[in-house]
Structures are given as C-alpha cells and as structure tokens.
Amino acid sequence: MFSCDCLCWNRDTEFEFGFDFHTPHPEPFSLPSPLPQWPQGKGFATGRINLGELEVIKIAKFDRIWSCNVLHGKAKGVAFYKPVEIPDGFYCLGHYCQPNDQPLRGYVLVARDAAASRRGAGSGDNSLLDLPALKMPLNYTLVWSTDPHYGNCSYFWQPNPPVGYKAMGIVVTNTPEEPEVDEVRCVREDLTESCETCHVLLSTDASLTFEVWSTRPCRRGMFARGVSVGTFFCGTYLSSEERQGIACLKNLDSTLDAMPNLDQIHALIKHYGPTVFFHPNEEYLPSSVQWFFKNGAVLYEEGKLKGEPIDYRGSNLPCGGSNDGAFWIDLPDTDEARDFLMKGNLESAELYVHVKPAVGGTFTDIAMWIFCPFNGPATLKIGLMSIAMTKIGQHVSDWEHFTLRVSNFTGELWQVYFSEHSGGRWLNASDLEFIEGNKPIVYSSKHGHASFPHPGTYLQGSSKLGIGVRNDAAQSKFFVDSSTKYQIIAAEYLGDGVVKEPCWLQYMREWGPTIVYDSRSELDKIINLLPLFVRFSVENIFDLFPTELYGEEGPTGPKEKDNWEGDERC
C-alpha cells in the first residue's frame, strides 16, 4: 500500500500556487472520419473483452468531480472524473484524471465477475478460486484534500481492500464524508499484476509534495498480460521512496479473442495505414527488400573475400541464431552498381507489418517497418551553422518503423509510436496530422529516415546548446501509402501457418558492414569554424553526438530488435 499522509493545503500554500478552480471542460476528441464496419470475427471491436474470470468494458463518459489550473509554477492543470452510464452488473474500479490542456478521450475499465455463475453457492470450499473476483473495499484512507476554507474542495480516498484483494484506483469526492464502500470494487489478487507509475499528471512543488500519476503494467510486450485500468494513483511524499501496492488487471484468457483476425487486420491497415512522406531533398529513398536483393545486394561471410549474391527471396541467407558477426550484407563492388542501389526504388517500396497483442490483449500494435538500402551522412548543427558531413552517420541499409496502437474494444486508433533513432515517443491520436480520413501522416527525416509526426527540424544532441544532428522532415512528392503498399510478415498470435514469414525475416545478422573510421578530421573542421569564445574541447564535442556517428555499422533486421517482442522504447 502507499506510504502517505493526509495533507490539507493551508492559506500560504494556496496563495503560493494560485489555483484557478473555474476551468473549462476539455472538448471530446473524435477521429476525423467515422469508423467503418469491421469484418466479422470473435471479440474484436465488440465493446467487451473477456479476461478469464473478469469481463471488462471501456467507459469513456464521465462526470467531472473537481479540476484546477495552476497559475504559477510548472504544474499543469488537471481534472478528475467519475465514470457514468456503467451497465448493470459491472462495477467501477477507480476514477480518472487527465490534464486540462488535452482533449477528453481517456477511459477507465469497469468489470463484472464473469465466473460467478460457475461457482456453486455454499460449497464450503474457501480456496482462492472459490472467492469472488470482485469485492467491496473495507473502508477508505484519506490521502489528501484541499483546504475547505477556499471552497470547491476535493478529497482523495484510497480503497482499503480485503485480505487477498487489490485496489485498482483512487476515488475523488467534493465532500469530506468517506465514500460508500459500494462506490468501487477491489479485485482478487491472482487476477492482478504489478503496476508502476508512469507520467506525472500533477505535482504541487510544495515542501510536502502531492503528486498524481498515470500508471501502466510493469511488464509490457506481446507476451505480457498486464491490463491498464485507466485509473490514476496519487500520494504525498517527503522522499522518493519506493511506491508499492499499485495493481492492474491481468488477462488470463489464453485465446486472446479480442485480437483482430486476418481479415480485420487488413481492414485496419487499409483504414489507418499512414502516408510516409520523405524529405524533398532525400537522396536515399526506400525500396522493397526483394528489389534490394535482385539488384545486387551481396552476402559476406567472415574469412571469405568474395561475397555471394542474395536470392531475391533471401532463401540463401543464414537463418536463426544470433548476431555473431559471422555474416553481413553489403552493396555490390562496382561504383555504378553501388550508387544505383544506394538511391533505392520508391516504386517498389512497401511497409512490412508485424501485428501483436499489447497491454494484455486489450490493444493491438501494428508495427510498420520500412527498409532503405542506404542511410545517408548526417548534417550537424552548431548554433546558426549547419554543416553537411561526408561520412559521419552513413551506413549500408536502414530499418526504421512506427507503430499504430488500436483499441480492441472499438477498433479506434488510439496512439502512434514514432521511432526516432535510439528512442521514440507515443503520441495520442489527437496530436496527429491526418490525410484521407483517419490515416495519420508520418514524416521521414532526411538521410536518417527517423519518424516524426510533424514537419520541421528536430535536433538530436543538446537542444540547450543548439548542437547536434539535424533531422529535417517535410512533405514532398516522395511518399509511400502504407494503406495499399504493405506486406504482413508476422502475427504470431494467429497461430502457425496463418501468416507466412519471409525467409529474410529469419536473418539475424547485420544488414551492412561494420566500418570504423576516424571522425576527428571532420569534427576538427567544425571546431575550427567556431568563434574562440564558444569553442569546446574535442572531447566535449564527441560527448554531444550519438556514438553511432563515429563509424558505419549496418542495422540488424526487425526480428532482432527488442521491440519485436517487447514494448516500444520511450
């Protein structure tokens, strides 16, 4: 459980933070176009998901309980909501919180005991499985409250669960009376998984800090079973002590019936498939993998001087194993053939799609991989100067991706992950640009092909100093429409043989050679251009740039990446 103390703001605290309680309601968000009628299947987009002993429904209609805007300091205003229009037989697990500056599009899950009818009444067996899945809390602990002297009060209550049960969220009231015990339900412990705090939604910055966090399952990825409830957690802390007692739901239904079938996957891609725009000055465009192999890509083996042409399907590539450095792919020997292959072939380009469960099977992740035969050299930015490199940043082959996260309750596009070199970020659907209905736009940066949600220049390095690698993104006539030009290469949850994985996907080694060279000469040119009063040492300049810029190393393929089975890196 939380280690918290009850805290009421006094007059000094109220004055210091200057909360404005008269805040407008965030407007609801909806996608630009209505959703289509999805092909028939089992549980996908039916509005309900079976988690084994529990059945859950997503509630997105709320009554606002309390909200505030911070007039001073760094904290953002937030609002707290109670779910409404809960169907008979389903129970609230906790309340919802979100920032005031975002459209209202959150949700909380409500649950019912789906296995109650299968348990015999009065059996006298007190084993864990004969306990109900849901129970009312014993009572509540007041975690925090505002100062009643100023009106518009709020009180934050943590449910105290019975032995063997876990609380899923916090209850907010605007009166000091403890909530009724039937306000929420706690969940039997074996139907839950551990949860962790994620994003700070509110922090008072006071001497005794009150914070509100969003949460997520500790274990994430296509084999993880933790299910986010959509609730929040809060507390007051004098130190950064470990926060325990946070729980989420667990999907015990091994069939994952809420995941889309193959027909539904195709419908989702055709409806949501992004258009990927490349920079107007992009020299190194994408191609299909088959075009790359057909037009001269060569497989090298350690200890052998001559490479072997690669079959257009990749059938002669070594399969399985790990990236042991024994094999790598390279461009052809002749300058003309290398230059031709490096430029890519936009006409043949397609997105390679991996479909997998996310958030315990309540969402579907559609990871879309794009291949470029060559990653061009970087452009470095130092203050107002931009200097194009001749070698730094370039390498043979480039695998980049973005991921669509779709709600299995409704089939709505919920978020998109944009992979940006060694990391990336999730953006809500409300923060995206759309084209032709509900298709997001993805901007691929010049030479590096990282994914971005909007046009502009993104700096990889030190934004504060204005020193780093430029990632320039803009719309142009060079684009790939992934809603029509795609190939599904994997969807393991559908079972063996439903999706045939291509031969090249089993190649776990590098798609380009490793070449180490001295970047000192190019960096010395940059340093010599700087005014004396802003020059850094060579060592400091090196520290500001990503390590992959100091040599050429071909990437591994999609299946060798951590996010193939795991969650995206943020």
Side-chain angles (χ1 to χ4, degrees):
M1 304 302 293
F2 287 106
S3 299
C4 328
D5 297 313
C6 175
L7 172 69
C8 291
W9 274 351
N10 58 28
R11 182 182 299 272
D12 293 335
T13 309
E14 185 77 22
F15 176 79
E16 179 184 354
F17 290 96
F19 272 65
D20 173 18
F21 300 108
H22 303 288
T23 57
H25 288 266
E27 292 294 325
F29 170 80
S30 58
L31 293 167
S33 297
L35 298 185
Q37 183 70 40
W38 304 114
Q40 289 189 343
K42 292 185 178 179
F44 177 73
T46 60
R48 300 188 178 199
I49 294 180
N50 177 28
L51 303 182
E53 287 197 48
L54 289 175
E55 184 179 44
V56 292
I57 292 177
K58 184 182 77 172
I59 298 293
K61 292 185 178 180
F62 302 102
D63 280 343
R64 186 169 69 165
I65 302 168
W66 184 77
S67 65
C68 59
N69 276 341
V70 182
L71 300 179
H72 306 289
K74 298 179 181 179
K76 293 182 179 180
V78 295
F80 298 89
Y81 300 87
K82 175 181 178 178
V84 296
E85 299 184 20
I86 299 174
D88 290 341
F90 285 81
Y91 297 97
C92 176
L93 302 175
H95 289 178
Y96 172 70
C97 174
Q98 74 159 52
N100 285 326
D101 61 352
Q102 296 179 6
L104 183 59
R105 201 192 178 217
Y107 70 90
V108 292
L109 300 186
V110 297
R112 78 176 182 94
D113 189 339
S117 61
R118 298 196 297 267
R119 287 190 293 266
S123 63
D125 187 349
N126 292 320
S127 68
L128 186 63
L129 294 180
D130 283 319
L131 294 174
L134 302 171
K135 265 191 176 183
M136 290 184 291
L138 300 175
N139 49 35
Y140 297 85
T141 297
L142 181 62
V143 177
W144 184 80
S145 67
T146 55
D147 191 335
H149 176 80
Y150 291 93
N152 206 321
C153 299
S154 63
Y155 302 83
F156 294 77
W157 305 89
Q158 180 184 331
N160 295 318
V163 175
Y165 287 78
K166 291 278 189 178
M168 298 285 106
I170 301 294
V171 174
V172 183
T173 65
N174 49 26
T175 61
E177 290 78 24
E178 184 174 326
E180 298 292 335
V181 290
D182 65 353
E183 176 72 20
V184 294
R185 293 295 187 272
C186 301
V187 180
R188 204 175 69 221
E189 193 168 1
D190 64 306
L191 305 179
T192 70
E193 280 212 350
S194 59
C195 203
E196 65 186 16
T197 55
C198 184
H199 302 295
V200 176
L201 300 175
L202 174 66
S203 180
T204 62
D205 293 331
S207 57
L208 187 61
T209 301
F210 173 71
E211 289 184 326
V212 177
W213 310 277
S214 63
T215 63
R216 64 185 181 185
C218 293
R219 290 183 62 250
R220 299 178 301 280
M222 72 175 182
F223 297 120
R225 290 292 177 259
V227 173
S228 291
V229 180
T231 54
F232 68 92
F233 283 87
C234 62
T236 56
Y237 292 90
L238 294 171
S239 63
S240 57
E241 61 192 52
E242 184 179 0
R243 296 155 188 162
Q244 299 178 344
I246 300 172
C248 62
L249 295 176
K250 183 176 184 178
N251 191 348
L252 296 175
D253 179 22
S254 60
T255 65
L256 295 179
D257 276 351
M259 291 293 294
N261 61 29
L262 191 57
D263 289 339
Q264 291 167 335
I265 292 172
H266 284 293
L268 288 167
I269 295 171
K270 288 174 181 176
H271 188 73
Y272 293 125
T275 296
V276 185
F277 282 102
F278 294 84
H279 194 272
N281 299 324
E282 181 61 77
E283 304 162 76
Y284 307 105
L285 291 165
S287 76
S288 69
V289 171
Q290 286 193 346
W291 182 90
F292 179 62
F293 292 162
K294 281 181 180 179
N295 286 274
V298 180
L299 175 67
Y300 281 88
E301 184 177 358
E302 188 178 24
K304 295 183 179 180
L305 296 177
K306 188 173 178 58
E308 175 187 354
I310 301 174
D311 174 75
Y312 77 99
R313 294 169 300 178
S315 59
N316 60 329
L317 292 171
C319 295
S322 60
N323 183 22
D324 53 11
F327 296 88
W328 64 90
I329 294 173
D330 203 352
L331 302 174
D333 292 333
T334 65
D335 291 342
E336 184 178 355
R338 287 177 67 89
D339 290 344
F340 175 74
L341 207 56
M342 286 165 60
K343 290 184 168 112
N345 180 264
L346 193 63
E347 185 178 350
S348 71
E350 59 186 352
L351 277 294
Y352 298 104
V353 179
H354 178 210
V355 187
K356 56 182 179 176
V359 199
T362 56
F363 287 85
T364 295
D365 274 4
I366 302 174
M368 308 191 88
W369 293 87
I370 192 158
F371 174 76
C372 295
F374 196 76
N375 189 97
T379 296
L380 303 185
K381 185 178 186 299
I382 301 182
L384 298 176
M385 294 186 298
S386 292
I387 305 166
M389 299 291 95
T390 57
K391 285 186 177 180
I392 292 179
Q394 71 179 22
H395 53 78
V396 174
S397 297
D398 193 21
W399 279 106
E400 297 290 347
H401 81 285
F402 50 87
T403 298
L404 312 180
R405 180 159 285 180
V406 176
S407 169
N408 290 344
F409 287 98
T410 60
E412 290 177 273
L413 176 66
W414 204 253
Q415 293 177 305
V416 174
Y417 178 82
F418 293 84
S419 175
E420 302 167 3
H421 299 298
S422 57
R425 54 179 169 153
W426 285 104
L427 259 71
N428 294 328
S430 57
D431 296 321
L432 304 174
E433 293 182 20
F434 290 92
I435 190 172
E436 296 179 3
N438 293 334
K439 299 175 182 177
I441 295 176
V442 174
Y443 295 91
S444 179
S445 64
K446 181 185 175 185
H447 285 191
H449 311 125
S451 300
F452 295 95
H454 306 289
T457 297
Y458 300 83
L459 195 64
Q460 182 185 8
S462 172
S463 299
K464 182 177 180 180
L465 297 173
I467 299 176
V469 179
R470 287 182 64 124
N471 288 274
D472 294 300
Q475 200 166 130
S476 74
K477 64 180 181 180
F478 306 126
F479 65 88
V480 179
D481 180 358
S482 68
S483 69
T484 58
K485 301 192 72 176
Y486 69 92
Q487 179 187 158
I488 300 175
I489 58 171
E492 294 91 341
Y493 73 92
L494 291 176
D496 295 337
V498 178
V499 173
K500 184 178 181 181
E501 298 185 2
C503 297
W504 55 261
L505 186 60
Q506 318 310 321
Y507 173 69
M508 301 300 176
R509 277 80 172 186
E510 291 170 350
W511 285 65
T514 298
I515 303 172
V516 179
Y517 50 77
D518 184 9
S519 304
R520 175 74 173 266
S521 59
E522 287 202 78
L523 291 175
D524 279 345
K525 294 177 188 176
I526 300 169
I527 295 167
N528 292 333
L529 291 171
L530 294 173
L532 288 174
F533 66 91
V534 294
R535 284 188 185 179
F536 292 94
S537 67
V538 173
E539 290 79 10
N540 287 337
I541 289 287
F542 266 83
D543 289 342
L544 293 173
F545 297 149
T547 56
E548 61 263 29
L549 298 180
Y550 306 135
E552 297 181 26
E553 183 175 354
T556 51
K559 207 167 188 178
E560 187 72 1
K561 309 292 188 187
D562 290 342
N563 66 298
W564 184 266
E565 293 185 356
D567 199 10
E568 301 289 359
R569 290 186 293 177
C570 297

